[in-house]
Amino acid sequence: MGTNQVIIASVLLVPLIAAIANLFFWGQSKLQRILGSVFVLVHLFVSVLLLRHIINHEFLVLNVGGWLHGYGIMLAVDSLSAGMIVLTSFLSVLSWFYSSKWFKAKKVAYLFNVVFFTLQLGLIGAFMSADLFNLYVWFEVMLVSSFVLLTLGGRRFQLEGAIKYVAINVFSSTIFLAGVGMIYGLTGTVNMAAAGLSLDGISNQTLPMVAAVFFLVSFGIKAAIFPLFFWLPASYHTPPIGISSLLVALMTKVGIYTLIRFFTIIFPLEGTMLKTVFMVLSGLTMVVGVFGAAAQTDFRRILSFHIVSQIGYMLMGLAIGTPLAIAGALFFILHNVLVKTNLFFISGLVGHVAGTYNLKKLGGVFGAFPIIALVFAVSAFSLTGVPPLTGFWSKFMLAKAGFVSGDWAIVVVSLFVSMITLFSMTKIWNQVFWKLLPEGTVFKQKSFREVLNKYPVMLGVIGVLTLAIIGVSFFPANFIEFAEKAAGYVVERSAYINHVLNL
Amino acid sequence: MDVLLSIITGLLYAVGFYLLLHKGMTKMIIGIMALGYASNLFIFIVARLTRGIPALIKAGESTVSGEYADPIPQALVLTAIVIGFGIQAFAIVLLRQVYLNTGTANMDDLNITDKLEN
């Protein structure tokens, strides 16, 4: 086992060890926090090592259990996986510190400190797996962890949200398993690369198409695309905001990641009727999400609906399918994870200070805490795509790709949706930041200094994230270059297949 | 045998989806279980059924000779059963908590999170 294999394994092992270690220190919240902080930072470090290795060598494959290529469970990391892993790791660090002061009940805190890492484990596993069934297992690890996180604390609306979330995810897993079964029946393998190769050789594409639709429905539910998104705005805003933001940032992106993987390696979209289906779905996802948001009056619910709308943009990249479009979608994922999480973090801070998330009861934040308002404005502008912020670059790449390939209709829809997004953000701005504080609502802290004293870590995390957004906005070249490289490999699937099967 | 099992699988899927959509919580759990069985059986059947020929290497030989039952789907189903068991256990505890918290076992009453104002 060379150092390469050690790196790839350690990215998985660190969260696993962290979860087990924190289980041993059940009852010692302080110790768990310290251990956890060390582990999230170590994980970020090994992820960056992995990314560096991928940038130099492009590909890393680990045969778990020493089987021949293509037979046993395989973990494969290409640029796309490595990028997602580093993003997950980075966001985990921020969420971990952001949620530090969150849980008053002791037992809840103990559990959070364990389940946080099993969720991270499931996410990383899903990004690495090159095996369909193994992917299913990672999905379940991730899902059960998210079930627990959603219900932590056990307040009534949390439980209600969780029921819907559990039911739809059981459905999604069932469909996924049936799809895996069909692929195995058709090709005799559950290795993604091998299955992709064998499916090319099947002359009657009806059954593979059925399997493809199974996967589309299953991952569509996870990614919250139209018309399978209703669980998201019903559940994501219910848990404490530290948990919400973690789920928001990463869970739906796993859905998009697997969609991109599946519909490039196993079922290439080009020339099938699924391309049109994806195009229509992406347009509807954008439009319905953004109009859903326009009707809401809860800070977090508006943001939740916007996630749906933005998933549409990522799907649009996949539907157009040119390297530039996929690169745009990947850059959009980076943009969305940073910006959306920051908006959720800010909403959590405002919610804490004001004691409510209801737009009607909120107000006057600009007057009391101009710095928080400024940070929100940066993120909101970025979300709508005002140049030169991150949203602009990603939307520009997508729109350009759309015009180049002649899919102008979807570009028009996406630009229209951007304008409605601006409307939504203006609504939050007017209601939360601009208008005077309504009677009956009192800020618990009177000045920014008091907020800083009370929530130093939370403000620090928001600061780091805002700096990251500004950094990516003004120096996008490296990120775009990386996204284009990753997209190149994704579109040109032979590289992935050859590496995984060692052809 | 294949036909019979296929029909049973189809029925289990139908029952599972119907009960999952039912407004009674207990029925939802039964639906989750039925769906689990259905997908396990499905994997088992699509991988082709073989009877009485285990994939064992006979003494003195180095590979399996002739036709044999495919062990991979069995391994997959075993894993899926264990995972399904975990999910079902969680679902049962969750529904019990919901019942204790809200005092109702009717899904139609659980719509707080969908209201515009809360």
Side-chain angles (χ1 to χ4, degrees), chain A residues 228-495:
Chain A
L228 309 162
F229 66 86
F230 290 99
W231 59 271
L232 192 149
S235 61
Y236 265 16
H237 67 290
T238 57
I241 206 93
I243 294 174
S244 288
S245 54
L246 185 68
L247 297 177
V248 160
L250 301 167
M251 292 290 284
T252 48
K253 308 306 173 292
V254 181
I256 282 292
Y257 165 84
T258 38
L259 279 173
I260 292 178
R261 264 273 178 273
F262 269 63
F263 289 94
T264 53
I265 290 170
I266 307 181
F267 312 101
L269 277 181
E270 215 41 59
T272 60
M273 59 126 186
L274 276 180
K275 193 179 161 76
T276 326
V277 173
F278 269 75
M279 205 69 95
V280 173
L281 285 181
S282 70
L284 284 170
T285 310
M286 285 185 233
V287 173
V288 174
V290 85
F291 279 125
Q296 303 298 322
T297 56
D298 181 295
F299 203 159
R300 294 163 303 173
R301 278 176 67 88
I302 295 180
L303 295 177
S304 294
F305 265 102
H306 271 292
I307 302 168
V308 176
S309 162
Q310 262 115 37
I311 289 293
Y313 282 94
M314 300 167 202
L315 204 61
M316 167 184 161
L318 177 59
I320 296 171
T322 57
L324 182 62
I326 304 242
L330 298 185
F331 193 76
F332 200 99
I333 293 179
L334 169 70
H335 144 74
N336 187 255
V337 167
L338 296 179
V339 170
K340 199 89 228 181
T341 315
N342 205 20
L343 286 173
F344 259 87
F345 281 167
I346 296 166
S347 80
L349 188 64
V350 171
H352 256 235
V353 173
T356 176
Y357 290 99
N358 193 327
L359 289 191
K360 287 190 182 141
K361 292 183 196 149
L362 280 166
V365 178
F366 181 80
F369 319 103
I371 297 179
I372 298 177
L374 179 71
V375 169
F376 174 84
V378 169
S379 309
F381 276 134
S382 182
L383 193 75
T384 47
V386 173
L389 295 164
T390 49
F392 168 72
W393 299 113
S394 46
K395 284 179 184 172
F396 176 71
M397 283 164 87
L398 284 172
K400 188 180 167 197
F403 281 130
V404 168
S405 72
D407 300 304
W408 53 268
I410 194 78
V411 177
V412 171
V413 172
S414 76
L415 296 179
F416 169 71
V417 168
S418 281
M419 274 163 55
I420 313 277
T421 309
L422 184 60
F423 162 75
S424 261
M425 289 299 129
T426 332
K427 183 166 132 184
I428 295 184
W429 178 260
N430 279 339
Q431 297 287 333
V432 178
F433 294 92
W434 206 240
K435 112 185 149 193
L436 292 175
L437 190 65
E439 274 178 46
T441 312
V442 191
F443 288 140
K444 286 183 201 125
Q445 282 79 30
K446 294 287 172 256
S447 67
F448 183 72
R449 189 160 289 277
E450 277 180 49
V451 180
L452 190 63
N453 287 336
K454 177 92 178 162
Y455 306 111
V457 184
M458 279 164 73
L459 273 174
V461 167
I462 293 174
V464 168
L465 206 44
T466 312
L467 283 181
I469 295 170
I470 294 174
V472 177
S473 302
F474 285 96
F475 304 99
N478 286 333
F479 297 95
I480 291 178
E481 199 182 310
F482 184 77
E484 279 177 341
K485 204 173 104 188
Y489 281 116
V490 166
V491 177
E492 189 59 51
R493 64 185 187 137
S494 55

Side-chain angles (χ1 to χ4, degrees), chain A residues 136 140, chain B residues 32 36 40 79-89:
Chain A
Y136 166 75
E140 296 304 304
Chain B
I32 290 175
N40 293 341
T79 316
I81 289 174
V82 176
I83 292 175
F85 177 73
I87 301 275
Q88 285 158 23

Side-chain angles (χ1 to χ4, degrees), chain A residues 133 140 144 147 151 154 156-157 159-160 163-164 171 174 177-178 181-182 184-185 234 295-297 301 360, chain B residues 13 17 42-43 46-48 70 72 76 79 83 87 90 94-95 101-102 110-114 116-118:
Chain A
F133 197 80
E140 296 304 304
V144 174
F147 292 166
T151 48
R156 174 170 177 168
F157 60 98
L159 291 171
E160 285 194 15
I163 265 206
K164 292 156 198 172
F171 172 75
T174 309
L177 257 189
M182 286 191 75
Y184 188 76
Q296 303 298 322
T297 56
R301 278 176 67 88
K360 287 190 182 141
Chain B
Y13 270 122
F17 286 136
F42 181 82
I43 293 183
V46 284
R48 288 179 198 87
D70 189 349
I72 288 185
L76 301 188
T79 316
I83 292 175
I87 301 275
F90 182 86
L94 174 68
L95 292 191
N101 239 291
T102 60
L110 305 179
N111 53 7
I112 291 187
T113 59
D114 292 322
L116 280 180
E117 310 271 334
N118 50 22

Side-chain angles (χ1 to χ4, degrees), chain A residues 16-29:
Chain A
L16 181 65
I17 295 171
I20 295 172
N22 272 348
L23 212 49
F24 275 109
F25 293 107
W26 190 272
Q28 287 149 287
S29 191

